[in-house]
Amino acid sequence: MDLTNYELLALRWKDVNLNQGILSVLQSLEQTKDGIRFKAPKTQRSRRNVTLPAVTVEALRAHKAAQSELRLQLGVGRDENALVCPGLDFRPRSPAAFTREFTRFVVSLDMPRITFHGLRHTHASQLLRAGVHPKVAQERLGHSTIAVTLDMYSHVVPSMQVDAAERVDAVLKAALGKQKSNE
């Protein structure tokens, strides 16, 4: 997903519509010297709806069912404000602790190392490489402007330049071919 860990850790089930496959980013977590607190996202554009891929919706359904079962087993019951990714005590998880847990998880998978925030960059790069319009990537990432998205992910654009040139070439050849046949 394209959320920072601070947004992910503040995500509540009431902000996730699994039937429509949309989650709403309405808050983030902030670690202060006094502890963890919820706050509004950095910018107005950071408040956003993100359409989820079907595979993510299914994973979230399974996660929610397992979390609900655990809550019942522990006698915690339902909570309208339940977090999607809480700590073991169902309270907000420390971003620093989450980052450490994620790092250990990645190491255990015997795969190239990546930070949790690196997943966000990977998502953005893959969107652009797949031909998703940069405006859509900007909205999913919650960037304030499309310029921020393009500046940050311009390294993806050169590989797209070859594809663009090939497409223009095909259009020009088709147009020139029609012109020659009309002469």
Side-chain angles (χ1 to χ4, degrees), residues 2-99:
D2 46 357
L3 305 175
T4 65
N5 62 342
Y6 304 113
E7 292 171 339
L8 176 69
L9 297 177
L11 187 64
R12 298 182 187 280
W13 283 113
K14 68 181 182 181
D15 301 325
V16 180
N17 184 326
L18 294 173
N19 293 327
Q20 291 183 349
I22 297 173
L23 69 80
S24 300
V25 178
L26 303 173
Q27 60 187 357
S28 66
L29 272 184
E30 178 177 55
Q31 179 105 40
T32 69
K33 61 180 172 134
D34 297 326
I36 299 170
R37 72 179 183 100
F38 291 91
K39 68 175 195 166
K42 286 191 294 189
T43 67
Q44 189 59 34
R45 292 271 180 154
S46 296
R47 294 176 72 94
R48 63 199 185 277
N49 292 327
V50 178
T51 302
L52 302 170
V55 69
T56 301
V57 171
E58 290 311 307
L60 283 170
R61 283 185 199 282
H63 175 62
K64 185 175 185 179
Q67 191 181 85
S68 295
E69 180 64 31
L70 181 59
R71 289 180 73 87
L72 287 173
Q73 288 175 2
L74 296 174
V76 178
R78 294 178 189 239
D79 180 0
E80 188 67 23
N81 291 309
L83 295 166
V84 174
C85 297
L88 295 175
D89 57 1
F90 296 105
R91 293 195 317 227
R93 196 181 235 161
S94 155
F98 178 81
T99 298

Side-chain angles (χ1 to χ4, degrees), residues 33-176:
K33 61 180 172 134
D34 297 326
I36 299 170
R37 72 179 183 100
F38 291 91
K39 68 175 195 166
K42 286 191 294 189
T43 67
Q44 189 59 34
R45 292 271 180 154
S46 296
R47 294 176 72 94
R48 63 199 185 277
N49 292 327
V50 178
T51 302
L52 302 170
V55 69
T56 301
V57 171
E58 290 311 307
L60 283 170
R61 283 185 199 282
H63 175 62
K64 185 175 185 179
Q67 191 181 85
S68 295
E69 180 64 31
L70 181 59
R71 289 180 73 87
L72 287 173
Q73 288 175 2
L74 296 174
V76 178
R78 294 178 189 239
D79 180 0
E80 188 67 23
N81 291 309
L83 295 166
V84 174
C85 297
L88 295 175
D89 57 1
F90 296 105
R91 293 195 317 227
R93 196 181 235 161
S94 155
F98 178 81
T99 298
R100 285 190 302 275
E101 292 166 20
F102 183 79
T103 300
R104 282 194 299 272
F105 174 71
V106 170
V107 167
S108 76
L109 294 177
D110 190 33
M111 59 182 262
R113 294 206 177 172
I114 187 168
T115 65
F116 189 78
H117 193 72
L119 293 176
R120 177 180 169 91
H121 291 285
T122 300
H123 177 71
S125 296
Q126 293 303 320
L127 286 173
L128 294 172
R129 280 193 184 108
V132 172
H133 194 282
K135 183 70 175 166
V136 174
Q138 173 215 338
E139 291 170 356
R140 290 182 68 81
L141 296 166
H143 289 155
S144 57
T145 67
I146 196 168
V148 170
T149 306
L150 291 173
D151 286 347
M152 196 171 293
Y153 298 100
S154 61
H155 63 281
V156 178
V157 176
S159 63
M160 295 169 62
Q161 290 290 346
V162 171
D163 181 53
E166 289 171 354
R167 289 180 188 211
V168 170
D169 192 46
V171 169
L172 290 173
K173 284 180 179 176
L176 290 172

